[in-house]
Amino acid sequence: MSGTHLQIGEVADRTGLSIKTIRHYDEVGLVAPSARSAGGFRLYTDVDVDRLFAIRRMKPLGFTLDEMGELLRSLAVLDDPASTEAERGVARTYLADCHARATQACEKLSTQLDYARELTAQLAEHAP
């Protein structure tokens, strides 16, 4: 699909995010569409969709919009061959911090899921 532009509805279907949410991320500067159609409709590339997937993954782990933006910028620095070694070092440090936070959040969510399963099993014993 390289070079293909998707309309916002297609992006919503692909990412599982609502159109309203995708528009909000554009408004706050997290993921701007790469192009606009002649009629002014937002058009997104694979790179844009990948950024939206990254945001979707960060949200349930408690990252703020500002932190999401910084994480996306850090990933972009590491993907850009023109980035300096100093820029890469800062990006790597930030990503390492985010990785540690994500790991802790996953552990917490896993524990909560275990509790929810225990409760569900307990309630099932008493369900008609």
Side-chain angles (χ1 to χ4, degrees):
M1 187 183 94
S2 181
T4 302
H5 286 93
L6 301 171
Q7 291 186 3
I8 195 168
E10 296 169 301
V11 173
D13 288 343
R14 184 173 286 186
T15 62
L17 298 169
S18 70
I19 291 172
K20 180 180 177 181
T21 297
I22 296 169
R23 286 184 180 136
H24 175 69
Y25 292 153
D26 178 13
E27 291 166 7
V28 298
L30 279 179
V31 178
S34 289
R36 295 267 181 172
S37 70
F41 294 104
R42 292 170 172 88
L43 298 174
Y44 295 86
T45 63
D46 285 342
V47 172
D48 301 329
V49 172
D50 287 345
R51 288 173 62 89
L52 287 166
F53 274 124
I55 292 166
R56 188 187 76 182
R57 292 173 186 127
M58 288 183 263
K59 188 167 178 31
L61 300 179
F63 288 88
T64 67
L65 292 176
D66 287 340
E67 291 167 335
M68 291 177 191
E70 186 60 33
L71 192 147
L72 292 171
R73 284 186 292 279
S74 295
L75 290 171
V77 164
L78 294 177
D79 288 340
D80 183 357
S83 296
T84 67
E85 194 50 45
E87 292 168 328
R88 289 177 179 283
V90 170
R92 279 191 213 89
T93 298
Y94 189 75
L95 291 177
D97 291 344
C98 290
H99 180 261
R101 282 188 52 203
T103 299
Q104 290 173 343
C106 285
E107 290 168 1
K108 182 177 178 181
L109 287 169
S110 181
T111 299
Q112 290 173 340
L113 182 57
D114 288 342
Y115 293 160
R117 286 185 175 137
E118 290 170 5
L119 177 62
T120 302
Q122 179 184 11
L123 296 175
E125 293 175 9
H126 303 287

